[in-house]
Amino acid sequence: MHLVTPHRAALAAFAGLLGLGIGFAPATGTVASPPPRQEVAVETLAVAGGVHVLVGRGGNVGVFVGDEGVLVIDDQMKPTEQALFDAIDALSKAPWRFVLNTHVHGDHTGNNASFGARAPIVAHANVRARLADPKRDGGPLAAPALPVVTFEEGLELHLNGERVRVKHFANAHTDGDSVVFFERANVVHTGDLFFHGRFPIIDLDRGGSVRGVVEAVDELLTMLSDDVRLIPGHGALARKSDLVAYRDMLADSLKLVEAAQREGKSLEQMQQERVLSKYAALAQQPNSEQRFLETVARELGAK
Ligand SMILES: [Zn+2]
């Protein structure tokens, strides 16, 4: 997901998931009810070797804790701010050492201002450039919300007896993607290079590419052991085989759309015929089959 603009269906689905019963039915009676306060729950799961994942609203947050301090990977968006602070404080009282943004999207960087006040933000140079861009939707972020340590290829963080390797993959989900490897724990946070169990959003307008994701995942797969635990950008914890299945779905989708193009089909025809319907089970608002088809077709130049 990126730059999530909550709309009713998504909010209702979200509320339903949490069992909060937040409804959007019109108010009955003559006095309008106050809008329901939106509760946000964050679930904490231990992965391995001090690495945890926090699942709330937005991208999966990685939290690495130990005696020397805390590393936080991604920070979701405004509604989860306090719930994330509470969940991280419950894991560790140690000082925060670094906050890392896996990429630019608002559902991964939306709490940068308050998280950046607790530790320096680290990200690929393009993440900072896009967040600071005067032409950014909603305006450039103020200095406290911007990454202060940037890199081009990658870097290593040494913390809690662990070597944390951060590696950039070019032009995949965006043009500023990072994957985070915890070597001892054998855990990898993939950022949005991997949407587990759902269609991906791939941001062609910010340097992303479907083919680029396939190439990045191919390279990433060569770097993973068979028993690695994967924290995807979105979706449940995963294994290497899940990432292989995801890669194959992307490559197959490219082939299916190319074949339709060779038959002279327009995007509209492809949508009517639902050329990606075999993957319909991966649809999850707002990551719909048609939206993904549109992304693939657009990348391939379909009219
Ligand atoms: Zn994203």
Side-chain angles (χ1 to χ4, degrees), residues 61-284:
V61 174
V63 183
F64 176 47
V65 300
D67 292 344
E68 294 170 5
V70 177
L71 162 67
V72 179
I73 303 170
D74 287 344
D75 53 40
Q76 298 193 345
M77 44 202 186
K78 216 67 192 162
T80 53
E81 180 181 54
Q82 193 55 50
L84 289 175
F85 278 140
D86 292 348
I88 297 168
D89 290 344
L91 284 175
S92 173
K93 299 277 180 266
W96 287 27
R97 300 290 300 280
F98 305 100
V99 173
L100 190 132
N101 292 153
T102 59
H103 64 290
V104 68
H105 288 152
D107 56 332
H108 299 255
T109 59
N111 288 313
N112 267 11
S114 56
F115 278 50
R118 287 184 69 165
I121 301 175
V122 180
H124 185 267
N126 290 345
V127 175
R128 181 181 162 97
R130 288 192 179 281
L131 291 175
D133 186 347
K135 297 196 293 289
R136 177 181 176 272
D137 285 346
L141 294 187
L146 294 174
V148 291
V149 179
T150 61
F151 56 87
E152 293 288 344
E153 302 296 325
L155 53 72
E156 297 186 359
L157 301 171
H158 301 271
L159 186 64
N160 303 328
E162 174 69 274
R163 186 162 83 122
V164 185
R165 268 190 323 126
V166 183
K167 177 175 163 45
H168 170 57
F169 287 83
N171 301 99
H173 173 67
T174 65
D175 62 6
D177 302 319
S178 291
V179 172
V180 186
F181 301 79
F182 295 90
E183 295 211 327
R184 277 176 64 167
N186 197 20
V187 175
V188 174
H189 191 307
T190 66
D192 280 3
L193 232 50
F194 181 23
F195 283 67
H196 183 205
R198 65 195 72 183
F199 285 115
I201 304 291
I202 295 174
D203 194 344
L204 306 186
D205 296 322
R206 291 178 185 76
S209 149
V210 183
R211 274 194 205 293
V213 175
V214 173
E215 285 166 19
V217 171
D218 277 339
E219 184 183 352
L220 176 58
L221 283 167
T222 67
M223 304 167 69
L224 302 177
S225 66
D226 287 339
D227 55 351
V228 68
R229 303 295 308 274
L230 299 173
I231 302 174
H234 297 268
L237 285 174
R239 297 287 187 182
K240 190 175 177 182
S241 56
D242 299 313
L243 184 58
V244 172
Y246 174 70
R247 179 249 176 250
D248 290 347
M249 181 278 291
L250 296 178
D252 187 40
S253 297
L254 282 162
K255 275 196 193 136
L256 289 167
V257 173
E258 274 173 338
Q261 263 187 308
R262 275 198 302 274
E263 292 165 24
K265 288 177 186 163
S266 65
L267 170 60
E268 200 181 332
Q269 278 173 296
M270 292 183 214
Q271 287 183 319
Q272 274 163 8
E273 291 175 19
R274 294 188 56 201
V275 300
L276 299 183
S277 62
K278 68 196 265 197
Y279 297 115
L282 297 176
Q284 189 169 321

Side-chain angles (χ1 to χ4, degrees), residues 51-69:
V51 183
H52 301 73
V53 60
L54 307 185
V55 183
R57 186 163 161 219
N60 288 327
V61 174
V63 183
F64 176 47
V65 300
D67 292 344
E68 294 170 5

